[in-house]
Amino acid sequence: MDLVAQCAVASLLVSHAVRADAEFVAVLLGPPRPPRIVRFVGAEVRGLNPDERSTASLLRKALAEEGLAERSVHAGVYGRGGGLRDALATIQPPIFLMDEGGEDLRGSRLGSDVTFVLSDHKDFTAEERALLAAVTTAKLSVGPRALQADQVIAVVHNELDRRA
Ligand SMILES: C[S@@+](CC[C@H](N)C(=O)[O-])C[C@H]1O[C@@H](n2cnc3c(N)ncnc32)[C@H](O)[C@@H]1O
């Protein structure tokens, strides 16, 4: 839960502000009712703070829901039932898989509305990789070292900020 909270914060917060043009989507496979999809919408979210505890409490609210349809659990935070396949089905291309063995992000052509997919501390399973291979445009790398997912998100945002 800490890792997911760190990734939400890295995706949406800058110093004293929220990235209104960003969304963070997490596919959560742990109890109590997996799989569930949690979506944070930068343009709508209220009360998102840099500390992991308050973000984790928003995540827990979304996880406490039982329904399959997406429902708001807090301003700008939504929960629904579904796994990786369902999450990917709602996302328009281009979708990039972040992977230390991929092409260098620095030289990449991205477009203006773009999605980046990362795993948590465990690598994607073979089944998840097959799903991703069907919908992703390319694998992108932020460098040769394996970083933590929230660190990768910070580097990707930095690259996008420099290009904007
Ligand atoms: C903590 S890493 C996964 C574990 C890692 N493969 C390992 O066993 O050392 C979490 C995710 O961040 C992304 N990632 C980590 N380092 C990266 C890099 N240098 N470039 C692009 N993505 C990276 C990948 O999506 C990776 O699956």
Side-chain angles (χ1 to χ4, degrees), residues 98-100 118-126 128-129 146:
M98 297 312 295
D99 186 304
E100 49 268 44
L118 300 91
S119 77
D120 58 6
H121 59 292
K122 293 185 198 153
D123 282 332
F124 288 111
T125 63
E128 289 166 340
R129 284 198 172 272

Side-chain angles (χ1 to χ4, degrees), residues 84 88 94-103 105 114-119 123-125 128-142 152 156:
L84 181 61
L88 291 170
I95 303 173
F96 293 99
L97 176 59
M98 297 312 295
D99 186 304
E100 49 268 44
E103 296 165 32
L105 171 72
V114 58
T115 297
F116 303 92
V117 182
L118 300 91
S119 77
D123 282 332
F124 288 111
T125 63
E128 289 166 340
R129 284 198 172 272
L131 271 178
L132 288 162
V135 298
T136 47
T137 303
K139 289 182 188 171
L140 291 180
S141 168
V142 298
V152 176
V156 170

